[in-house]
C-alpha cells in the first residue's frame, strides 16, 4: 500500500486526506471542528467531545452518542503556543499512542486554523498571514516546501492580470499551473485557450493567433477570428513560447504592449482584454543572451515568473503523487478496484531521479498497474525493472532537499527541517510514528516531545 502519513497502520481506508485538506481551508470554527471529528472517526477514534477554549470563542462539539457514566475517557489538550486558542479532546477508550499522535497532529492544525480565523476577525490587517497552512489547489499535488512556494505564487498570480512566465523541465506541471491560475482568477468563467506555439509553422501560428481577413491568402474565404479574440476576457496560454520565430515574437510584443490585435490581411485593429500566460522548458534568459529570443518580449513576459521544480527537487511529494495517480488509475484502466503498490516499491520510486518528472511518474505507474493487472499489486521487482535501481536503494539512504527561507535564522531553519524530515521518514515507514522513531534512533515519546518543541518554536509566538 502507499504510505499515507495521515493514517495509522492497519486502517487504510482513504478517509483522512480529504477532511484534512478541507480543515486547512475551513472558513469557520464549526467546520474546523466537524472536519477534526471526521478525521478522528476515520482513524477509528471514538470521540466524545472537542472543546475550543478561547476568550469570546468558546465552542463545543459533542458526539451524538450519549455519554455513559462509567466509560473511560482520556483527554488530550492542544494549545497554540504564543496564541490564545486551546483545544480539549475527550476520547472514549484508550487508543494506542501512534493513533493518538496522529490525531494530535490534526488537532494542532485545527487549533492553528481556529487561532488564525480568530486573529483575522479581531485584526483584519493581519489576514492572509497564516502561511503555515499549505494552500490546496485542485489537481496540483504536493506539500513539500518547493510546491508550497509554487502554490503561493499561483495564488498571488491569480489575484491580478499580469503576464506570467512559467518555466520548468518537461512534465513538471507547467500547464496544470497555468490552468490553476486561470481557474482561481476572476476570469475563471471566461475561456482558457491553450496554444502550442511549437506545433505550427510561423504563418499558420500567426493566422491561428491573430485571425485573418477574407482574401488574405489563398483559402481565406471568410473572415476568421484568432485565438487572442477567442480568449477575450479570459486567458491565453502560449505554451512552448521559446519555439516561436523572431517575426512572430515582434507581433506578440505588439499585442502585449498595446492589447490590440490585427488579423492577417486586415486593416483595422481590435481591442482584446486577455491575460497572457506563457510557458517554456528552455532557459529563456540564455536564449536572450544568445540572441534567439527577443529581449524586449522576454521582459514583457517575465512580469511574474514561476519556476516549476523538477520532481527530483521535491521527492517528498512522491508518496502523495503515487496515491493520487493510483486513485485515478483504477478507473482509467477499467479496473473495479484501485491498483495497490508495495511499500518498498514506493520507497524505490522515491529514490529515482525522474528525468521526465511528474509525467514520467504518472505514465510509469499506469504501465506498472496495467502489467500487475486487475486486483494486482505493483511490486519492487517491477519497479526495479523499470528504474534499474537496486533493492539497497529502496531501503537505505533518504535524500531530501532543504530550502533556507529568506530571513530565516539557523535555529528556525533546523527546527522546521526537523519537522519536514520527520514527515519524510514517517512517510517512508508507512506513516507509523514508532517506526519513524526507530529509524531516527530516538525514543518514541522523546521524539514526540522534540517535535512538539520544534512545532511550538515555529508556529508559536507569532
Ligand atoms: N504537482 C502535480 N500534481 C498532480 N499532477 C501533476 C503535477 N505536476 C504534473 N502533473 C501531471 O503530470 C502531467 C504533465 O503535466 P503538464 O502537462 O502540466 O507538464 P508540462 O510542464 O506542461 O510538460 P511539457 O513541458 O512536457 O509540456 C500531467 O498529466 C499533469 O496532470
Ligand atoms: Mg506542457
Amino acid at each position: 500500500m502507499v504510505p499515507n502519513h495521515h493514517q495509522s497502520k492497519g486502517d487504510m481506508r482513504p478517509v483522512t486526506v480529504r477532511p484534512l485538506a478541507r480543515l486547512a481551508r475551513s472558513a469557520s470554527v464549526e467546520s474546523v471542528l466537524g472536519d477534526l471529528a471526521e478525521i478522528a472517526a476515520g482513524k477509528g477514534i471514538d470521540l466524545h467531545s472537542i472543546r475550543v477554549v478561547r476568550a469570546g470563542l468558546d465552542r463545543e462539539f459533542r458526539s451524538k452518542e450519549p455519554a455513559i457514566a462509567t466509560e473511560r475517557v482520556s483527554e488530550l489538550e492542544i494549545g497554540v503556543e504564543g496564541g490564545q486558542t486551546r483545544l480539549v479532546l475527550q476520547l472514549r477508550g484508550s487508543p494506542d499512542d501512534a493513533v493518538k499522535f496522529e490525531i494530535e497532529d490534526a488537532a494542532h492544525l485545527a487549533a492553528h486554523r481556529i487561532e488564525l480565523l480568530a486573529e483575522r476577525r479581531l485584526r483584519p490587517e493581519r489576514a492572509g498571514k497564516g502561511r503555515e497552512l499549505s494552500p490546496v489547489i485542485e489537481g496540483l499535488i504536493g506539500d513539500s516546501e518547493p510546491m508550497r512556494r509554487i502554490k503561493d505564487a499561483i495564488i498571488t498570480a491569480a489575484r491580478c492580470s499580469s503576464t506570467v512566465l512559467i518555466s520548468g523541465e518537461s512534465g513538471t506541471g507547467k500547464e496544470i499551473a497555468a490552468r490553476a491560475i486561470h481557474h482561481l482568477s476572476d476570469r475563471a468563467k471566461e475561456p482558457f485557450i491553450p496554444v502550442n506555439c511549437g506545433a505550427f509553422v510561423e504563418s499558420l501560428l500567426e493566422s491561428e493567433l491573430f485571425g485573418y481577413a477574407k482574401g488574405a491568402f489563398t483559402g481565406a474565404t471568410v473572415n476568421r477570428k484568432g485565438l487572442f479574440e477567442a480568449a477575450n476576457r479570459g486567458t491565453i496560454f502560449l505554451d512552448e513560447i521559446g519555439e516561436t520565430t523572431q517575426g512572430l515574437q515582434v507581433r506578440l510584443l505588439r499585442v502585449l504592449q498595446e492589447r490590440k490585435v490585427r488579423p492577417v490581411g486586415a486593416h483595422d485593429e481590435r481591442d482584446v482584454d486577455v491575460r497572457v500566460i506563457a510557458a517554456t522548458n528552455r532557459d529563456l534568459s540564455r536564449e536572450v543572451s544568445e540572441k534567439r529570443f527577443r529581449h524586449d518580449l522576454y521582459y514583457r513576459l517575465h512580469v511574474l515568473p514561476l519556476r516549476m521544480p523538477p520532481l527530483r527537487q521535491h521527492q517528498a511529494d512522491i508518496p502523495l503523487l503515487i496515491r493520487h495517480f493510483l486513485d485515478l488509475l483504477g478507473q482509467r484502466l477499467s479496473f473495479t478496484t484501485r491498483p495497490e503498490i508495495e511499500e518498498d516499491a514506493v520507497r524505490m520510486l522515491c529514490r529515482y531521479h525522474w528525468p521526465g518528472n511528474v509525467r514520467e511518474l504518472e505514465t510509469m505507474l499506469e504501465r506498472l498497474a496495467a502489467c500487475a493487472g486487475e486486483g494486482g499489486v505493483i511490486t519492487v521487482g517491477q519497479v526495479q525493472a523499470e528504474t534499474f535501481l537496486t533493492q539497497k536503494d529502496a531501503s537505505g539512504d533518504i535524500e531530501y532537499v532543504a530550502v533556507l527561507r529568506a530571513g530565516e535564522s539557523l535555529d528556525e531553519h533546523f527546527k522546521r527541517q526537523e519537522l519536514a524530515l520527520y514527515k519524510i521518514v514517517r512517510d517512508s515507514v508507512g506513516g507509523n510514528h514508532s517506526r519513524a522513531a526507530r529509524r531516527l534512533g530516538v525514543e518514541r515519546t522523546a521524539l514526540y516531545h522534540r517535535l512538539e518543541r520544534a512545532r511550538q518554536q515555529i508556529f508559536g509566538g507569532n
Side-chain angles (χ1 to χ4, degrees):
M1 298 289 272
V2 181
N4 169 358
H5 59 254
H6 303 310
Q7 281 176 326
S8 63
K9 192 168 174 279
D11 176 8
M12 300 309 280
R13 282 170 293 158
V15 287
T16 56
V17 171
R18 280 170 189 284
L20 200 73
R22 220 172 39 221
L23 188 156
R25 289 182 293 175
S26 287
S28 71
V29 177
E30 279 68 25
S31 58
V32 172
L33 297 184
D35 289 336
L36 185 57
E38 199 178 326
I39 291 166
K43 290 178 189 302
I45 291 176
D46 197 356
L47 195 69
H48 180 241
S49 69
I50 314 173
R51 217 167 65 239
V52 182
V53 184
R54 185 185 162 109
L57 203 89
D58 289 6
R59 297 284 149 85
E60 187 159 26
F61 177 100
R62 276 187 175 279
S63 91
K64 292 185 183 69
E65 302 286 329
I68 305 163
T70 54
E71 73 187 346
R72 243 197 97 168
V73 173
S74 54
E75 256 193 11
L76 278 181
E77 187 168 329
I78 282 102
V80 177
E81 173 85 356
Q84 300 167 38
T85 308
R86 269 188 308 126
L87 284 188
V88 181
L89 279 74
Q90 290 195 319
L91 322 173
R92 290 199 185 93
S94 26
D96 77 42
D97 277 350
V99 175
K100 230 165 151 178
F101 291 148
E102 301 246 348
I103 191 67
E104 281 191 29
D105 272 352
H108 254 287
L109 186 61
H112 279 284
R113 185 70 198 168
I114 291 171
E115 177 80 8
L116 190 72
L117 290 168
E119 284 286 292
R120 245 180 224 183
R121 199 166 50 87
L122 300 173
R123 287 183 281 175
E125 76 277 12
R126 290 171 54 97
K129 286 204 172 173
R131 296 176 65 82
E132 70 271 31
L133 304 175
S134 168
V136 176
I137 295 181
E138 203 70 44
L140 196 69
I141 307 299
D143 201 31
S144 61
E145 187 61 34
M147 283 309 289
R148 278 172 176 240
R149 278 186 289 132
I150 288 294
K151 289 178 178 183
D152 282 347
I154 287 174
I155 290 168
T156 307
R159 292 198 187 117
C160 63
S161 269
S162 303
T163 303
V164 181
L165 177 61
I166 308 178
S167 56
E169 293 176 15
S170 183
T172 48
K174 296 187 291 295
E175 178 152 356
I176 220 175
R179 287 181 189 274
I181 293 171
H182 173 75
H183 287 299
L184 293 171
S185 75
D186 55 11
R187 295 171 178 262
K189 290 201 173 71
E190 306 294 339
F192 173 88
I193 309 264
V195 191
N196 183 342
C197 300
F200 300 94
V201 294
E202 181 178 340
S203 56
L204 196 54
L205 181 58
E206 189 177 20
S207 57
E208 279 292 313
L209 288 175
F210 307 111
Y212 51 81
K214 183 177 172 182
F217 46 82
T218 325
T221 52
V222 287
N223 289 330
R224 211 186 121 181
K225 276 189 187 169
L227 297 173
F228 268 102
E229 278 185 84
N232 199 24
R233 301 163 74 89
T235 305
I236 193 162
F237 175 49
L238 302 175
D239 204 359
E240 299 191 27
I241 189 90
E243 312 296 314
T244 49
T245 57
Q246 296 266 341
L248 204 98
Q249 289 168 25
V250 176
R251 294 213 57 176
L252 284 173
L253 182 65
R254 265 186 67 76
V255 186
L256 285 171
Q257 277 171 342
E258 304 184 7
R259 301 283 156 179
K260 287 179 191 298
V261 289
R262 190 165 57 80
V264 179
H267 299 294
D268 59 319
E269 288 194 316
R270 296 164 195 180
D271 291 332
V272 284
D273 164 19
V274 174
R275 202 276 165 84
V276 176
I277 303 180
T280 179
N281 51 23
R282 295 192 184 186
D283 178 351
L284 267 202
S285 58
R286 187 143 130 218
E287 298 290 300
V288 170
S289 59
E290 292 175 6
K291 308 233 176 322
R292 282 192 296 271
F293 200 86
R294 288 185 66 99
H295 73 279
D296 42 10
L297 177 59
Y298 175 70
Y299 292 114
R300 281 276 165 190
L301 293 171
H302 197 263
V303 184
L304 298 175
L306 200 70
R307 195 173 284 277
M308 300 303 290
L311 185 52
R312 63 185 169 281
Q313 283 177 11
H314 61 114
Q315 285 166 319
D317 291 325
I318 291 176
L320 270 183
L321 283 160
I322 294 175
R323 275 186 66 82
H324 167 72
F325 289 130
L326 292 184
D327 284 345
L328 302 177
L329 269 174
Q331 201 174 25
R332 198 181 301 167
L333 293 169
S334 307
F335 289 172
T336 50
T337 53
R338 174 186 184 277
E340 299 297 345
I341 182 165
E342 291 176 359
E343 280 182 22
D344 276 350
V346 172
R347 244 166 268 149
M348 189 173 268
L349 290 173
C350 291
R351 298 274 306 139
Y352 185 56
H353 59 287
W354 300 110
N357 297 299
V358 184
R359 181 184 290 112
E360 186 184 7
L361 173 62
E362 186 178 6
T363 52
M364 189 188 287
L365 283 173
E366 181 164 354
R367 195 161 52 244
L368 293 170
C371 291
E374 171 129 32
V377 176
I378 298 171
T379 62
V380 173
Q382 275 184 290
V383 172
Q384 227 165 345
E386 283 272 344
T387 58
F388 301 105
L389 291 174
T390 62
Q391 180 73 41
K392 184 175 161 291
D393 292 318
S395 53
D397 304 345
I398 293 179
E399 209 176 286
Y400 66 100
V401 180
V403 178
L404 180 64
R405 286 185 183 164
E408 189 174 49
S409 74
L410 185 72
D411 211 27
E412 285 163 356
H413 173 74
F414 281 118
K415 287 280 176 292
R416 196 169 52 73
Q417 225 38 53
E418 204 165 283
L419 293 176
L421 179 59
Y422 165 71
K423 264 189 155 186
I424 295 170
V425 172
R426 194 176 62 178
D427 280 349
S428 77
V429 294
N432 182 297
H433 176 80
S434 303
R435 274 156 63 188
R438 263 202 303 281
R439 170 65 183 82
L440 289 165
V442 183
E443 204 271 318
R444 204 166 43 88
T445 28
L447 176 62
Y448 178 71
H449 291 306
R450 184 175 173 146
L451 295 169
E452 186 54 33
R453 277 197 303 277
R455 211 178 264 128
Q456 285 179 0
Q457 180 157 345
I458 295 167
F459 295 127
N462 300 320

